[in-house]
Amino acid sequence: MDILKHLNPQQADAVGKTDGPILILAGAGSGKTKVLTYRMAYLLKEKGISPFNILAVTFTNKAAGEMKERLEKILGPKAKDLWLGTFHSTGLRILRKDGQYIGIDPNFIVYDDDDQLALVKLCMSELNISDKSFSPRAILSHINQAKNEALSVNDYAASVDDFFRQRVAAVYKLYQGKLKQNKTLDFGDLICEPIRLFQQAQPVLEKYQKRFRYILVDEYQDTNRAQYILISMLSAVHKNLCVVGDEDQSIYGWRGADIRNILEFEKDYPDVEIIRLEQNYRSTKNILAAANSVVERNIKRIGKTLWTENPDGALVTYQMARDEHHEASLLFEKVEDLRRKNSLSYKDFAIFYRTNAQSRIFEEHFIRSGMPYHIVGGLKFYERKEIKDAVAYLKVVANPSDSLSLMRIINTPPRGIGKATIDKVSSFGAGQDIALFDAFKLAMGKGLIPRNKDQGFIAVIEKFNGLSDKLSIHELAKMLLEESGYIKMWEDEKTEEAEARIENLHELISAMRDFEKGREKATLADFLDHVALISDIDTFEDEHNRVTLMTLHSAKGLEFPVVFMVGMEEGLFPHSRSINADDENELEEERRLCYVGMTRAMRKLFLFGARERTIYGESRFQGQSRFIDEIDPNYLEIISPNHSTPLGTDFKSVPKWEQGGLNEPRIVYDDFHDNNPWKIGIKIKHPSFGIGIIKAKEGAGEDAKLTIIFPGSGQKKLIAKYISLVEA
């Protein structure tokens, strides 16, 4: 098989150039996964590199799985020997093997987001920090960000400059201490601890540097500082580092991603070869041109121009609805119309929104209409109470030192072990510097608590801890949930809800059986790692015939024949935080997010906004998103409100032309009311700032807060009753 003959010239270049630092700028829909897969196949088949010497890092298990499947088709069983996985699974694998060099127990458990939050609350309680004065989530966010930047407890404490961060530093120190005592790690540790391992155990670093002659990193624009350091350390010897990314799709700055990693790659590696994948295989010419015209306004870009041989297709369509209910009705009518006329399935449609709260209106319409739908980011299977309880049982069996999981299930089902008993034993354990499980055993032995309190529970955990390497995972789980009384607790409840929970527990056991297939020596620890590292997008499937609803952030990496982007309004998208930010970085990220959403569409792209929207129980009059203004009008069709009125009502609006801030004509609409002197879209004159245009309004009458764009002075937010305005 000639690997290169299946590729276009730029793709073949990206696959065939293997040595030295390589930056592949892969535009949306340019066949990035194919290039990565073929590049690995080329190294193995054409260059004769051993799978043992290749490390490939992705951002999702889904992407890693797709690559493995493709490689197995090309290479056969040999593909299974590749080290291919996410950053977190790579770090976990290194720590399982060599973490003992820095005191990490190889049987550690990985805490998920909920576990982390519970641990932060516990630390705050012990430090007498009120959760009414300081948000536990805010403190956890700062701890996570510190780990994104590879800041240790001491590093962070040395950088604090205000009272809140001093509180965070105190919690961070105790939090790390409890993780160690519980023999647990969190997600940030899966990157930071390998860095510490390599810094403190030079022979271990040299072993991995020698092993990984070729390193490939996907989605490099989304890497944070800690991931950057880890990859830099691993690639320092051979320097055969190939990173693939697209600065125009860097949308995770809010969770630590640093776009500078890709923008400054050439500075880090002056001899880098830059290869641009610019041919798009996904979208029509009109969709692609419209998306390009938006993202090209960003300053922080390396630069590329996407093109496609696909048909022109329909223009991108924009429509402003009366309110969010009308927006949903317009969308529903369009889905059914397109389905009838184009023989499309429900699974061909996707609805993207900026915030999760926007999904409620659409979900209500779906339920009323009976149209099948699926929300990505809703309550996930592994977040259900009964599943988290069952997983906690398994965690304690695998690692009895996991005090947090132990506290979750020690009195579930009820065993007469209440808060007073747990607090008493916790204090005893803290005095003895031992884990909670050991504290219970010792306290019972010393007669500090009655033996009947927890003797049966302790015996069950110890029994299954001894059986964990003798039974299959699903057999162990089934027996554990039965003998612990957990299944019986729900059976005794005899309600429909309890029956549903029991069904979910059976589904969990089925999931374990599926996990064991193809994994001959799968252990309980392997399954718990799998559960901890799985993400929502990893579970996304489009086999079911239903419309998909998701946030724009969740949509990255996916594609749909028809895409609806809703809530295209200033303050919603772009988000108000980015508009009010001190610099342009946040606004540029919002623009990239818009580009990501637009480039998910294959055949048709609809943009919807609402003139008025209820936010936090208050009606707000929204101006249309600046991203609508930024689309080249040659690729945009604006549908007037009167063009489609599915509810049988009419807009009491009159279209009028205005000159936008970008000197491009567009149609705007506003309701006429006698008590509404300041309408969105009209030109006004201010005594100091001169001529401006009202872009948004909150409230009504003289208390209305107006957002006005003044060409010479920028955007101003003014309260009507405190200013002297006249219509221009």
Side-chain angles (χ1 to χ4, degrees), residues 250-311:
S250 178
I251 59 172
Y252 296 118
W254 53 277
R255 70 180 191 196
D258 191 343
I259 193 174
R260 291 176 301 178
N261 292 347
I262 191 167
L263 294 178
E264 297 177 5
F265 191 78
E266 191 171 4
K267 188 186 295 183
D268 293 334
Y269 301 93
D271 57 338
V272 64
E273 175 131 17
I274 300 176
I275 300 167
R276 288 173 169 81
L277 304 183
E278 296 175 308
Q279 183 174 359
N280 176 284
Y281 293 92
R282 177 186 298 147
S283 306
T284 63
K285 285 185 174 70
N286 283 321
I287 290 172
L288 201 58
N292 282 338
S293 67
V294 173
V295 79
E296 282 170 356
R297 297 176 184 273
N298 274 355
I299 295 168
K300 290 191 171 180
R301 300 181 72 220
I302 301 172
K304 62 191 165 306
T305 303
L306 296 193
W307 59 277
T308 183
E309 293 179 347
N310 291 338

Side-chain angles (χ1 to χ4, degrees), residues 524-654:
L524 177 58
D526 292 335
F527 180 75
L528 292 173
D529 289 346
H530 167 74
V531 171
L533 297 178
I534 202 165
S535 69
D536 194 38
I537 204 64
D538 292 327
T539 62
F540 173 74
E541 297 175 355
D542 57 4
E543 289 93 27
H544 301 286
N545 189 23
R546 55 192 181 183
V547 179
T548 298
L549 286 79
M550 60 172 64
T551 64
L552 284 152
H553 284 98
S554 297
K556 189 159 175 287
L558 302 176
E559 63 183 26
F560 299 89
V562 183
V563 166
F564 297 91
M565 289 171 59
V566 299
M568 299 294 294
E569 301 137 36
E570 283 290 294
L572 186 54
F573 191 41
H575 198 281
S576 56
R577 283 194 303 268
S578 67
I579 296 171
N580 299 324
D582 294 334
D583 58 42
E584 287 287 307
N585 289 339
E586 289 192 35
L587 185 57
E588 288 211 353
E589 181 155 318
E590 290 286 297
R591 189 174 285 114
R592 292 193 293 268
L593 186 59
C594 182
Y595 171 79
V596 166
M598 295 175 77
T599 53
R600 301 309 96 196
M602 300 166 72
R603 291 164 57 184
K604 192 72 182 91
L605 173 61
F606 294 91
L607 309 174
F608 282 102
R611 172 63 64 214
E612 181 181 349
R613 187 178 296 274
T614 302
I615 301 175
Y616 303 123
E618 171 186 308
S619 291
R620 296 187 186 177
F621 293 91
Q622 308 279 118
Q624 76 179 26
S625 168
R626 70 185 65 198
F627 300 145
I628 301 297
D629 298 343
E630 292 174 0
I631 297 173
D632 186 324
N634 291 312
Y635 309 110
L636 182 66
E637 175 189 14
I638 300 177
I639 299 178
S640 78
N642 290 329
H643 184 78
S644 175
T645 52
L647 299 180
T649 55
D650 191 13
F651 265 108
K652 293 178 181 175
S653 308
V654 177

Side-chain angles (χ1 to χ4, degrees), residues 387-399:
I387 302 304
K388 290 193 77 68
D389 286 347
V391 170
Y393 267 102
L394 294 168
K395 284 181 176 180
V396 174
V397 165
N399 173 20

Side-chain angles (χ1 to χ4, degrees), residues 443-578:
M444 193 169 56
K446 288 179 174 289
L448 298 177
I449 57 172
R451 282 186 172 271
N452 63 344
K453 280 277 187 185
D454 63 351
Q455 190 171 15
F457 175 77
I458 295 287
V460 167
I461 297 300
E462 289 187 324
K463 172 185 174 179
F464 283 96
N465 179 263
L467 290 173
S468 60
D469 59 350
K470 297 179 178 68
L471 297 174
S472 67
I473 306 168
H474 78 274
E475 287 173 330
L476 182 137
K478 187 173 183 293
M479 290 173 62
L480 173 63
L481 294 176
E482 287 172 353
E483 292 194 25
S484 65
Y486 188 75
I487 292 271
K488 188 174 185 301
M489 178 186 77
W490 293 117
E491 288 174 342
D492 290 346
E493 195 172 291
K494 299 185 187 309
T495 64
E496 286 188 17
E497 181 186 355
E499 285 179 18
R501 293 189 190 278
I502 292 168
E503 287 174 9
N504 286 334
L505 291 168
H506 289 313
E507 182 60 29
L508 174 65
I509 292 166
S510 297
M512 292 173 174
R513 292 181 72 108
D514 289 342
F515 179 79
E516 289 168 322
K517 289 175 184 173
R519 295 178 175 91
E520 281 183 34
K521 298 179 181 178
T523 65
L524 177 58
D526 292 335
F527 180 75
L528 292 173
D529 289 346
H530 167 74
V531 171
L533 297 178
I534 202 165
S535 69
D536 194 38
I537 204 64
D538 292 327
T539 62
F540 173 74
E541 297 175 355
D542 57 4
E543 289 93 27
H544 301 286
N545 189 23
R546 55 192 181 183
V547 179
T548 298
L549 286 79
M550 60 172 64
T551 64
L552 284 152
H553 284 98
S554 297
K556 189 159 175 287
L558 302 176
E559 63 183 26
F560 299 89
V562 183
V563 166
F564 297 91
M565 289 171 59
V566 299
M568 299 294 294
E569 301 137 36
E570 283 290 294
L572 186 54
F573 191 41
H575 198 281
S576 56
R577 283 194 303 268
S578 67

Side-chain angles (χ1 to χ4, degrees), residues 340-354:
R340 285 193 305 269
K341 292 178 179 175
N342 297 279
S343 300
L344 292 169
S345 301
Y346 285 119
K347 68 179 182 180
D348 294 326
F349 297 89
I351 303 169
F352 301 157
Y353 34 80
R354 177 63 181 82

Side-chain angles (χ1 to χ4, degrees), residues 188-200:
D189 290 332
L190 297 181
I191 309 299
C192 291
E193 290 301 294
I195 292 172
R196 185 166 72 90
L197 169 65
F198 293 158
Q199 289 170 338
Q200 296 181 12

